[in-house]
Amino acid sequence: MTIQRIEPGPRMSGAVVHGNTVYLSGQVGHEGDDIQAQARTALAEVDRLLAQAGSHKSRILQATIWLADMADFAAMNPVWEAWIDPANPPARATGEARLAAPGLKFEVIIVAAVD
């Protein structure tokens, strides 16, 4: 089986396709934006990368969300719920973590099936 690397860089790829599965790197918003703006920006990047891989948010198998502060959980959920395909919600976990930059509040990691 071949491995396709989407947007490879010196440290990581934006996504990697192996077989019928695509693995996205963590997607974040813009430092300093509020939690909802960061979530919307990151989820738009998920859409873009999934499209490049030949997939779609309706094909997401698993999502892992990291928040810099769990106090943002309630504010983030409406953005997530408006974005996901309601007929095909993925398995999801949300936790708190120190993110890569101090102004980041949201990061999402996606695993999806490829059409």
Side-chain angles (χ1 to χ4, degrees), residues 24-43:
L24 273 60
S25 62
Q27 300 302 307
V28 298
H30 300 293
E31 281 189 75
D33 285 353
D34 68 24
I35 186 69
Q36 291 188 335
Q38 286 193 26
R40 280 193 282 280
T41 299
L43 295 172

Side-chain angles (χ1 to χ4, degrees), residues 54-79:
S55 190
H56 183 268
K57 64 185 164 191
S58 67
R59 309 278 292 161
I60 295 173
L61 304 170
Q62 181 180 40
T64 304
I65 297 173
W66 293 111
L67 300 176
D69 187 340
M70 285 302 287
D72 287 330
F73 186 76
M76 175 275 302
N77 271 323
V79 175

